[in-house]
Amino acid sequence: MKSGVLSSGAATRLTSAMQEKRKRHLFETLDGKSILMSADWSAGDHAVIEFCDVSFAVETALSRQLDVLTGLANRSALMTRLNEFVVPGSRGAVIYIDLDRFKFVNDTLGHPVGDALLKLVAERISRLLGPHDLLARVGGDEFVILQSSEEQPLAAETLARKLIDIVGRTYLVHGHTVQIGASVGIALIGVDGENVTELVKNADLALFKAKTGGRATYRFFTDAMDRESQGRRAMEIDLRRAMVMKEFSLVYQPQFEIEGSRLVGFEALIRWSTPDRGHVSPAAFIPLAEEIGMIGQLGEWVLRTACAEAASWQAPLSVSVNLSPLQFKNPKLVDTIVSALSNAGLPASRLDLEITEGALMDDTDTVVAMLEEIKKLGMKVSLDDFGTGYSSLSYLQKFPFDKIKIGQSFVRSLESSPDSVAIVRAVTALGKSLGIMTIAEGVETENQLRQIAEEGCGQVQGYLTGKPLSPADAATLIKSQH
Ligand code: C2E
Ligand code: MG
Ligand code: MG
């Protein structure tokens, strides 16, 4: 055996192992080698001792349990520890953490910054843990804590609050200031699952709720989440085969100029109906299609169908198509739109694309560049649901929209809220000075129509002036108007 230097602690422990006549003792040299001592004491008071360098075996075993980047436990180590910990009567919590905006940081500032950031996050969270808690990294930006405290749910709640706070504070990474957040889902051991697999799954479900509930928050698992997730899974199965079953269709809601009541165009709205479910609201299945990665395919179908149907109209009216923010993640989006137009033989000037503020929130520069290309090709771009999201006027600065759609919530509160009146007035005035058309959505009463007209809004779309129509009924309306 080559010689190795021991720390004084390791030397003391080795000496006492000998004095105790132990058969095996594993120790580490100062240069990091793992040495196994095997002693044969069968001869009585003297022994035959063998030292063996087992560094490779030890490292392999450790690396199977360790996350290389952060040095935390990995998923396999977590599961091992959980399986030991979770026995009848044990109390504690499984705390699932996912970083908000991490992907964005990683994509824009690069992987070295992403990696360094993950290490900093791991350090910050580690500082909050008790001596018997375990922190593991189980995926790119996902962490799980096994919290062993019995004071539940208070201990988990306190830890969740602290870690959301501490992870959300600014980081300095390779000269960049970086801001991310944490969403947290909690399952209580002994309460929220029969076994380890269920506990982890339920903490993950609670995390999903925290993420969809606005991020940077925590949620405890509830039985309702489980039922909901089963419902979602059933819907996902149906949604995945809806395309081949030809269960989608488009309806068209008319848009009118307020002055002169002239029909100017239609908004294409998707419909899904199945023999079992009847009509399913797009508000329910569009988010699911986004989540399961189906929105690209679905959005392309909407574009192609709307362009083809609009091309058959007897008058050259505009057709508005809703685009999900996720469709902008596809660099081929503009090509797809151009292909839909040319296949249908529809002039670009008749297509109006509706986007929400959400599309401009992440990765704004890329999206704005795509929108500019779209505009250069002659299409129009509308800002949908203005006033329901962040309603920030700054979005109007980022891109020269052709139209602002004032959301239903504003229109509905016109009669009761002076604030809404003031905002609608300001937006229409701004639109006029910037040359942007304004349209009020969801107008249901004569009173609302009168009010939005008084505030200077140019167009209207709502049940009062016309519900969404089948393609045949839309064609009939066009004929009757022209
Ligand atoms: P949106 O784009 O703001 O569409 C307007 C929604 O308001 C439509 O609901 C329409 O039927 C409804 N609406 C119109 N007038 C009135 C009214 O006077 N009163 C009330 N209560 N509602 C009115 P719909 O068709 O259920 O669509 C809901 C949302 O689903 C849409 O909101 C849009 O965000 C999304 N969506 C619909 N079709 C598509 C699509 O093809 N692609 C994408 N990505 N999203 C779509
Ligand atoms: Mg819309
Ligand atoms: Mg809208």
Side-chain angles (χ1 to χ4, degrees):
M1 186 194 112
K2 282 189 219 148
S3 69
V5 183
L6 299 188
S7 70
S8 61
T12 316
R13 282 190 295 276
L14 179 60
T15 314
S16 52
M18 304 265 217
Q19 280 162 354
E20 289 163 21
K21 295 193 172 180
R22 279 203 231 143
K23 289 187 179 151
R24 275 163 190 279
H25 177 68
L26 183 68
F27 62 94
E28 207 172 281
T29 61
L30 275 180
D31 58 351
K33 291 212 164 61
S34 299
I35 309 294
L36 182 67
M37 175 205 85
S38 315
D40 178 1
W41 293 96
S42 55
D45 54 356
H46 69 276
V48 179
I49 295 179
E50 194 182 23
F51 292 95
C52 188
D53 183 343
V54 292
S55 306
F56 181 72
V58 169
E59 269 161 32
T60 314
L62 275 179
S63 70
R64 287 208 189 108
Q65 298 285 300
L66 276 189
D67 169 45
V68 183
L69 178 68
T70 58
L72 297 176
N74 62 16
R75 181 182 285 276
S76 141
L78 171 77
M79 294 313 276
T80 308
R81 182 80 188 92
L82 271 172
N83 278 309
E84 288 162 7
F85 187 87
V86 177
V87 292
S90 52
R91 292 277 173 276
V94 176
I95 302 177
Y96 216 124
I97 305 155
D98 184 288
L99 304 182
D100 307 327
R101 286 174 54 82
F102 174 77
K103 199 182 164 308
F104 176 68
V105 172
N106 207 35
D107 290 350
T108 51
L109 298 180
H111 293 223
V113 172
D115 284 357
L117 182 59
L118 286 172
K119 285 190 205 168
L120 292 175
V121 170
E123 276 167 29
R124 286 192 188 180
I125 301 178
S126 298
R127 270 187 258 141
L128 302 174
L129 302 184
H132 303 294
D133 298 344
L134 177 78
L135 174 63
R137 185 166 80 115
V138 297
D141 62 348
E142 292 183 8
F143 298 83
V144 172
I145 297 171
L146 162 58
Q147 189 188 36
S148 56
S149 167
E150 300 200 342
E151 322 267 300
Q152 300 297 354
L154 190 66
E157 182 161 17
T158 311
L159 179 56
R161 279 178 200 275
K162 280 191 194 157
L163 82 85
I164 288 168
D165 172 54
I166 203 161
V167 172
R169 295 188 191 177
T170 307
Y171 299 78
L172 189 65
V173 195
H174 298 185
H176 301 276
T177 40
V178 177
Q179 194 89 43
I180 53 168
S183 296
V184 177
I186 306 165
L188 297 176
I189 294 168
V191 182
D192 293 333
E194 301 274 305
N195 54 46
V196 168
T197 315
E198 246 175 58
L199 279 165
V200 174
K201 187 197 83 187
N202 289 345
D204 193 17
L205 268 182
L207 170 66
F208 176 76
K209 273 287 166 188
K211 278 202 119 45
T212 49
R215 295 160 182 243
T217 70
Y218 63 91
R219 290 280 185 280
F220 280 95
F221 169 78
T222 64
D223 290 336
M225 289 179 190
D226 191 35
R227 285 193 297 276
E228 209 179 290
S229 113
Q230 284 173 19
R232 219 171 28 232
R233 220 165 311 139
M235 192 187 265
E236 175 182 339
I237 292 167
D238 289 354
L239 195 57
R240 283 193 191 280
R241 62 170 180 233
M243 193 68 82
V244 279
M245 303 297 281
K246 298 200 187 312
E247 289 170 346
F248 294 117
S249 61
L250 293 182
V251 289
Y252 295 88
Q253 186 172 32
Q255 301 174 327
F256 293 92
E257 225 165 58
I258 296 181
E259 223 181 86
S261 313
R262 194 166 64 92
L263 177 67
V264 288
F266 290 88
E267 177 176 4
L269 295 160
I270 193 166
R271 295 292 175 261
W272 178 31
S273 47
T274 78
D276 292 343
R277 295 179 181 273
H279 295 288
V280 188
S281 163
F285 72 83
I286 292 284
L288 183 62
E290 291 176 335
E291 197 191 309
I292 66 176
M294 229 186 93
I295 194 68
Q297 188 198 7
L298 195 57
E300 179 168 350
W301 178 86
V302 173
L303 272 165
R304 292 189 183 281
T305 310
C307 288
E309 288 180 340
S312 73
W313 294 342
Q314 292 215 330
L317 302 178
S318 78
V319 62
S320 306
V321 171
N322 293 285
L323 289 184
S324 152
L326 290 184
Q327 289 180 264
F328 288 90
K329 302 274 181 227
N330 179 359
K332 293 236 157 67
L333 175 65
V334 180
D335 295 345
T336 305
I337 299 172
V338 170
S339 148
L341 285 170
S342 71
N343 278 356
L346 189 75
S349 59
R350 287 182 57 198
L351 181 60
D352 171 9
L353 298 166
E354 295 192 2
I355 67 160
T356 55
E357 290 160 329
L360 290 173
M361 274 172 56
D362 281 355
D363 215 358
T364 313
D365 295 346
T366 316
V367 176
V368 166
M370 288 167 102
L371 290 176
E372 273 161 1
E373 210 183 328
I374 286 171
K375 247 192 116 144
K376 250 190 235 138
L377 291 164
M379 290 162 251
K380 307 258 181 340
V381 181
S382 298
L383 182 58
D384 200 0
D385 297 336
F386 184 81
T388 46
Y390 298 83
S391 359
S392 161
L393 289 173
S394 69
Y395 289 109
L396 296 177
Q397 234 178 6
K398 293 196 170 135
F399 180 77
F401 287 97
D402 297 285
K403 204 192 264 195
I404 304 171
K405 302 194 80 178
I406 298 170
Q408 294 187 13
S409 57
F410 265 144
V411 173
R412 209 146 300 155
S413 59
L414 274 179
E415 282 153 306
S416 59
S417 152
D419 284 354
S420 294
V421 178
I423 293 169
V424 170
R425 187 172 301 161
V427 172
T428 52
L430 190 71
K432 267 190 195 135
S433 64
L434 296 175
I436 306 176
M437 175 53 77
T438 43
I439 180 166
E441 293 188 79
V443 172
E444 294 181 350
T445 67
E446 291 287 354
N447 209 16
Q448 288 167 344
L449 178 60
R450 188 182 46 72
Q451 263 185 307
I452 57 143
E454 273 170 17
E455 298 313 332
C457 199
Q459 299 181 351
V460 57
Q461 174 188 345
Y463 290 171
L464 178 71
T465 45
K467 289 205 166 176
L469 303 171
S470 69
D473 288 347
T476 311
L477 177 68
I478 296 169
K479 264 187 220 156
S480 74
Q481 297 265 319
H482 287 84

